[in-house]
Amino acid sequence: MRHKEEIRVSRVYNFSAGPAVLPEEVLQEAAAEMMDYKGSGMSVMEMSHRSKWFDDIIKDAEKDLRELMNIPDNYKVLFLQGGASQFFAEVPMNLMKNKKAGYIITGQWAKKAFAEAKIYGDAVELASSADETFSYIPDCSDLPITDDMDYVYICENNTIYGTKYKKLPNTKGKNLVADVSSCFLSEPVDVSKYAVIYGGVQKNVGPAGVVIAIIREDLITDDCLPGTPTMLKWKTQADNDSLYNTPPCYGIYICGKVFKWLKKMGGLSVMKERNEEKAKILYDFLDQSKLFKGTVRKEDRSLMNVPFVTGDAELDAKFVKEATAAGFVNLKGHRTVGGMRASIYNAMPKEGVEKLVEFMKKFEEENA
Ligand SMILES: *Cc1c(COP(=O)(O)O)cnc(C)c1O
């Protein structure tokens, strides 16, 4: 073996909404295995997706995810590509048998999924929080769902606006499809309440390039909309255990490591407690601050994405600049909303949030 060189690193507190912070342990393990994965003499990036090594990687990843989320046996787990955005089209292509579906519009990602579905059929807006810049989750107890709708669609955690459903909508017996990109594995979920759960992993789980979809088996059929590409039929992917073509091998490998890390941490109930504790530190500070304000209705606040403002665009910019210089990076709000946003996913340590709050306090004193 050639000798390894020490790499000196300096890490920041990365509050990016995505691609986002990953557990340091996972990165270190991946670094250690980079040149020679388990005696193969290759990196996982360099090996066949049909090799024994990769077969173990993808099977282990699925097994660990099933354990973490307690996924019932009648659900398939697929590792796909194309980002959550491609899945916006896959949902109607695979599910719109009646060519009609209901969408709840809680932000940009729900809006984009809705617009995509309209290409394929009659997508109906069931509720929306657009009237108040998506700062809340609309009442979903009695939605105008009709019998001929194939499914009801939600974006469960709204990455840009920082809202999260605390209770799933009453779908009146219709299949629920949820984009969970930015809350994936942040807390336990009852998979059986959903027909389809999916997300791009680059927010809370792994590197960009992988979409994980958990789909109830009876919904995986050959009966897709005419013209659905082979690759976008869930049946193709399910029949081939996500290996119809070359999957995003390296991304799946890192996701698998994150699943093992989550199991070691104690699983999703422990993650939920940790996430609640971290979010509370930041929200409690925002609630008493005279300078910073949270932008979301309290009962709908996300544990993962925390948007806030000073109310003055120049002061916001000054804050972002000084925070960056102090090692708190990617705090600028989404380009469509401005202000700031701290994404505090699973891998953000509590210490990162505490230090950010200390920095905000200091900034508030200096700019009062
Ligand atoms: C980031 C994000 C998307 C888009 O994901 P891509 O993988 O870039 O297509 C969709 N939905 C939600 C909730 C997101 O946070």
Side-chain angles (χ1 to χ4, degrees):
M1 275 312 270
R2 279 157 286 181
H3 81 110
K4 282 179 282 185
E5 274 181 41
E6 275 284 331
I7 303 168
R8 279 157 126 333
V9 294
S10 107
R11 303 268 299 166
V12 291
Y13 287 115
N14 179 7
F15 294 93
S16 171
V21 57
L22 286 168
E24 286 192 3
E25 262 177 76
V26 166
L27 297 177
Q28 264 159 4
E29 257 183 52
E33 291 173 348
M34 181 64 78
M35 301 300 280
D36 176 13
Y37 179 73
K38 295 200 170 162
S40 66
M42 303 174 247
S43 156
V44 172
M45 272 184 258
E46 302 171 296
M47 63 176 54
S48 167
H49 57 296
R50 312 274 176 206
S51 65
K52 175 77 181 98
W53 293 291
F54 189 72
D55 191 57
D56 286 346
I57 288 172
I58 194 167
K59 289 210 170 106
D60 255 22
E62 175 171 346
K63 185 168 105 350
D64 288 334
L65 182 66
R66 283 188 178 274
E67 215 174 288
L68 278 169
M69 293 181 75
N70 205 5
I71 300 174
D73 288 344
N74 64 324
Y75 284 75
K76 276 271 182 195
V77 174
L78 303 179
F79 295 95
L80 308 171
Q81 308 196 48
S85 301
Q86 180 168 278
F87 213 83
F88 296 165
E90 289 181 46
V91 170
M93 282 175 164
N94 284 272
L95 294 182
M96 257 195 187
K97 322 275 178 200
N98 286 325
K99 295 244 182 175
K100 194 165 174 183
Y103 279 71
I104 302 171
I105 313 301
T106 50
Q108 176 142 310
W109 298 117
K111 236 162 76 180
K112 283 194 167 166
F114 179 52
E116 195 71 16
K118 281 186 172 170
I119 298 174
Y120 302 98
D122 185 10
V124 178
E125 180 182 305
L126 295 172
S128 167
S129 52
D131 59 342
E132 289 182 37
T133 334
F134 301 116
S135 59
Y136 69 102
I137 299 290
D139 176 10
C140 296
S141 56
D142 187 19
L143 299 165
I145 296 166
T146 53
D147 257 1
D148 53 352
M149 286 182 181
D150 291 302
Y151 59 88
V152 171
Y153 183 101
I154 62 168
C155 177
E156 192 162 337
N157 183 81
N158 295 281
T159 326
I160 295 173
Y161 299 94
T163 60
K164 159 109 198 317
Y165 286 80
K166 299 294 159 75
K167 192 169 171 270
L168 293 177
N170 173 5
T171 62
K172 304 185 178 173
K174 293 289 168 198
N175 285 324
L176 179 65
V177 178
D179 173 359
V180 300
S181 295
S182 49
C183 58
F184 223 160
L185 305 179
S186 63
E187 56 183 275
V189 288
D190 180 353
V191 175
S192 69
K193 293 203 167 120
Y194 303 78
V196 179
I197 301 180
Y198 81 94
V201 303
Q202 73 272 25
K203 309 288 161 67
N204 202 27
V205 184
V210 183
V211 168
I212 296 175
I214 301 159
I215 307 173
R216 212 177 58 226
E217 262 168 8
D218 61 287
L219 299 169
I220 302 176
T221 68
D222 262 327
D223 182 21
C224 298
L225 295 186
T228 301
T230 309
M231 277 285 290
L232 304 189
K233 283 186 182 170
W234 297 340
K235 180 102 173 35
T236 308
Q237 303 291 350
D239 285 353
N240 292 282
D241 295 322
S242 307
L243 291 164
Y244 170 73
N245 72 328
T246 320
C249 301
Y250 199 79
I252 293 169
Y253 157 74
I254 299 291
C255 290
K257 287 203 178 295
V258 172
F259 301 156
K260 292 215 186 291
W261 177 76
L262 289 168
K263 279 172 66 179
K264 205 172 95 189
M265 296 292 285
L268 300 190
S269 338
V270 173
M271 290 322 290
K272 181 177 193 218
E273 279 167 33
R274 284 168 54 99
N275 288 328
E276 281 172 345
E277 200 186 336
K278 283 185 311 187
K280 187 173 187 308
I281 296 168
L282 189 45
Y283 284 125
D284 281 353
F285 170 71
L286 290 171
D287 287 343
Q288 59 74 54
S289 169
K290 293 199 169 53
L291 181 65
F292 298 102
K293 258 174 227 39
T295 55
V296 170
R297 187 164 78 182
K298 277 189 190 172
E299 55 270 37
D300 300 325
R301 285 169 164 177
S302 165
L303 294 180
M304 298 282 99
N305 311 99
V306 183
F308 55 95
V309 294
T310 64
D312 173 342
E314 254 173 57
L315 206 52
D316 286 352
K318 181 168 188 257
F319 174 77
V320 170
K321 189 163 168 242
E322 291 181 13
T324 306
F328 306 100
V329 310
N330 291 319
L331 281 164
K332 194 162 185 274
H334 191 266
R335 58 198 150 80
T336 61
V337 288
M340 281 74 71
R341 171 180 49 172
S343 295
I344 49 175
Y345 297 119
N346 281 343
M348 171 59 64
K350 181 175 152 191
E351 181 198 70
V353 182
E354 286 168 341
K355 293 214 165 132
L356 172 66
V357 166
E358 268 170 47
F359 180 81
M360 289 168 77
K361 277 183 187 156
K362 189 169 133 270
F363 185 88
E364 180 166 341
E365 280 161 21
E366 288 167 3
N367 292 274

mmCIF file of all heavy atoms in Angstrom, residues 82-86 88 109 155 157 159 179 181-182 200 202-203, ligand 1:
data_model
loop_
_atom_site.group_PDB
_atom_site.id
_atom_site.type_symbol
_atom_site.label_atom_id
_atom_site.label_comp_id
_atom_site.label_asym_id
_atom_site.label_seq_id
_atom_site.Cartn_x
_atom_site.Cartn_y
_atom_site.Cartn_z
ATOM 1 N N GLY A 82 -32.447 11.327 -10.600
ATOM 2 C CA GLY A 82 -33.315 12.362 -11.178
ATOM 3 C C GLY A 82 -33.767 13.419 -10.189
ATOM 4 O O GLY A 82 -34.435 14.381 -10.563
ATOM 5 N N GLY A 83 -33.394 13.273 -8.943
ATOM 6 C CA GLY A 83 -33.778 14.277 -7.957
ATOM 7 C C GLY A 83 -35.254 14.198 -7.629
ATOM 8 O O GLY A 83 -36.029 13.515 -8.318
ATOM 9 N N ALA A 84 -35.637 14.913 -6.585
ATOM 10 C CA ALA A 84 -37.061 14.976 -6.242
ATOM 11 C C ALA A 84 -37.832 15.578 -7.415
ATOM 12 O O ALA A 84 -38.979 15.209 -7.670
ATOM 13 C CB ALA A 84 -37.243 15.806 -4.978
ATOM 14 N N SER A 85 -37.195 16.451 -8.155
ATOM 15 C CA SER A 85 -37.894 17.145 -9.240
ATOM 16 C C SER A 85 -38.363 16.199 -10.341
ATOM 17 O O SER A 85 -39.421 16.411 -10.932
ATOM 18 C CB SER A 85 -36.999 18.235 -9.837
ATOM 19 O OG SER A 85 -36.652 19.159 -8.830
ATOM 20 N N GLN A 86 -37.585 15.169 -10.623
ATOM 21 C CA GLN A 86 -38.059 14.215 -11.622
ATOM 22 C C GLN A 86 -39.216 13.378 -11.078
ATOM 23 O O GLN A 86 -40.110 12.995 -11.813
ATOM 24 C CB GLN A 86 -36.932 13.282 -12.076
ATOM 25 C CG GLN A 86 -37.406 12.291 -13.122
ATOM 26 C CD GLN A 86 -36.257 11.579 -13.770
ATOM 27 O OE1 GLN A 86 -35.619 12.085 -14.680
ATOM 28 N NE2 GLN A 86 -35.985 10.394 -13.275
ATOM 29 N N PHE A 88 -41.531 14.484 -9.351
ATOM 30 C CA PHE A 88 -42.776 15.263 -9.524
ATOM 31 C C PHE A 88 -43.568 14.727 -10.721
ATOM 32 O O PHE A 88 -44.793 14.732 -10.715
ATOM 33 C CB PHE A 88 -42.482 16.749 -9.775
ATOM 34 C CG PHE A 88 -41.815 17.467 -8.623
ATOM 35 C CD1 PHE A 88 -41.225 18.715 -8.829
ATOM 36 C CD2 PHE A 88 -41.776 16.924 -7.349
ATOM 37 C CE1 PHE A 88 -40.605 19.400 -7.791
ATOM 38 C CE2 PHE A 88 -41.158 17.599 -6.300
ATOM 39 C CZ PHE A 88 -40.569 18.841 -6.519
ATOM 40 N N TRP A 109 -41.889 23.884 -3.568
ATOM 41 C CA TRP A 109 -41.740 22.502 -4.044
ATOM 42 C C TRP A 109 -43.088 21.866 -4.314
ATOM 43 O O TRP A 109 -43.236 21.076 -5.254
ATOM 44 C CB TRP A 109 -40.908 21.678 -3.066
ATOM 45 C CG TRP A 109 -39.511 22.225 -2.923
ATOM 46 C CD1 TRP A 109 -38.942 22.722 -1.785
ATOM 47 C CD2 TRP A 109 -38.528 22.368 -3.964
ATOM 48 N NE1 TRP A 109 -37.671 23.156 -2.069
ATOM 49 C CE2 TRP A 109 -37.389 22.952 -3.376
ATOM 50 C CE3 TRP A 109 -38.504 22.064 -5.327
ATOM 51 C CZ2 TRP A 109 -36.224 23.237 -4.101
ATOM 52 C CZ3 TRP A 109 -37.351 22.346 -6.057
ATOM 53 C CH2 TRP A 109 -36.231 22.925 -5.440
ATOM 54 N N CYS A 155 -46.186 18.274 0.327
ATOM 55 C CA CYS A 155 -44.761 18.428 0.619
ATOM 56 C C CYS A 155 -44.707 18.575 2.138
ATOM 57 O O CYS A 155 -45.158 19.578 2.684
ATOM 58 C CB CYS A 155 -44.198 19.665 -0.082
ATOM 59 S SG CYS A 155 -42.462 19.937 0.317
ATOM 60 N N ASN A 157 -42.397 18.773 4.620
ATOM 61 C CA ASN A 157 -41.588 19.811 5.287
ATOM 62 C C ASN A 157 -41.150 20.792 4.197
ATOM 63 O O ASN A 157 -40.539 20.386 3.206
ATOM 64 C CB ASN A 157 -40.377 19.189 5.964
ATOM 65 C CG ASN A 157 -39.552 20.212 6.728
ATOM 66 O OD1 ASN A 157 -39.881 20.581 7.856
ATOM 67 N ND2 ASN A 157 -38.478 20.703 6.121
ATOM 68 N N THR A 159 -38.944 23.241 2.892
ATOM 69 C CA THR A 159 -37.541 23.593 3.057
ATOM 70 C C THR A 159 -37.293 25.102 2.993
ATOM 71 O O THR A 159 -36.489 25.642 3.748
ATOM 72 C CB THR A 159 -36.728 22.907 1.927
ATOM 73 O OG1 THR A 159 -37.324 21.654 1.633
ATOM 74 C CG2 THR A 159 -35.281 22.737 2.307
ATOM 75 N N ASP A 179 -43.720 14.252 -0.341
ATOM 76 C CA ASP A 179 -42.321 14.625 -0.562
ATOM 77 C C ASP A 179 -41.741 14.951 0.812
ATOM 78 O O ASP A 179 -42.152 15.921 1.451
ATOM 79 C CB ASP A 179 -42.274 15.849 -1.489
ATOM 80 C CG ASP A 179 -40.874 16.431 -1.657
ATOM 81 O OD1 ASP A 179 -39.918 15.918 -1.042
ATOM 82 O OD2 ASP A 179 -40.744 17.423 -2.408
ATOM 83 N N SER A 181 -38.358 15.247 1.349
ATOM 84 C CA SER A 181 -36.930 15.517 1.111
ATOM 85 C C SER A 181 -36.227 16.132 2.317
ATOM 86 O O SER A 181 -35.147 15.696 2.689
ATOM 87 C CB SER A 181 -36.755 16.448 -0.091
ATOM 88 O OG SER A 181 -37.193 15.823 -1.267
ATOM 89 N N SER A 182 -36.844 17.155 2.910
ATOM 90 C CA SER A 182 -36.104 17.882 3.944
ATOM 91 C C SER A 182 -36.455 17.460 5.370
ATOM 92 O O SER A 182 -35.994 18.089 6.316
ATOM 93 C CB SER A 182 -36.285 19.386 3.759
ATOM 94 O OG SER A 182 -37.637 19.702 3.607
ATOM 95 N N GLY A 200 -35.445 13.482 -2.137
ATOM 96 C CA GLY A 200 -34.047 13.597 -2.541
ATOM 97 C C GLY A 200 -33.244 13.519 -1.256
ATOM 98 O O GLY A 200 -33.632 14.099 -0.253
ATOM 99 N N GLN A 202 -30.271 14.664 -0.512
ATOM 100 C CA GLN A 202 -29.213 15.649 -0.270
ATOM 101 C C GLN A 202 -29.527 16.668 0.827
ATOM 102 O O GLN A 202 -28.712 17.521 1.125
ATOM 103 C CB GLN A 202 -28.852 16.384 -1.566
ATOM 104 C CG GLN A 202 -29.861 17.387 -2.061
ATOM 105 C CD GLN A 202 -30.933 16.793 -2.964
ATOM 106 O OE1 GLN A 202 -31.224 15.615 -2.882
ATOM 107 N NE2 GLN A 202 -31.535 17.606 -3.818
ATOM 108 N N LYS A 203 -30.718 16.591 1.424
ATOM 109 C CA LYS A 203 -31.034 17.495 2.519
ATOM 110 C C LYS A 203 -30.605 16.876 3.848
ATOM 111 O O LYS A 203 -29.801 17.424 4.557
ATOM 112 C CB LYS A 203 -32.530 17.828 2.543
ATOM 113 C CG LYS A 203 -33.093 18.303 1.200
ATOM 114 C CD LYS A 203 -32.629 19.696 0.832
ATOM 115 C CE LYS A 203 -32.756 20.039 -0.637
ATOM 116 N NZ LYS A 203 -34.081 20.134 -1.166
HETATM 117 C C1 LIG B 1 -34.711 20.399 -2.466
HETATM 118 C C2 LIG B 1 -36.101 19.910 -2.552
HETATM 119 C C3 LIG B 1 -36.637 19.434 -3.759
HETATM 120 C C4 LIG B 1 -35.854 19.420 -5.055
HETATM 121 O O1 LIG B 1 -34.921 18.430 -5.017
HETATM 122 P P1 LIG B 1 -34.009 18.081 -6.282
HETATM 123 O O2 LIG B 1 -33.384 16.803 -5.847
HETATM 124 O O3 LIG B 1 -33.048 19.198 -6.463
HETATM 125 O O4 LIG B 1 -34.888 17.922 -7.466
HETATM 126 C C5 LIG B 1 -37.936 18.973 -3.748
HETATM 127 N N1 LIG B 1 -38.665 18.972 -2.634
HETATM 128 C C6 LIG B 1 -38.182 19.436 -1.459
HETATM 129 C C7 LIG B 1 -39.051 19.426 -0.246
HETATM 130 C C8 LIG B 1 -36.889 19.921 -1.387
HETATM 131 O O5 LIG B 1 -36.414 20.387 -0.223
#
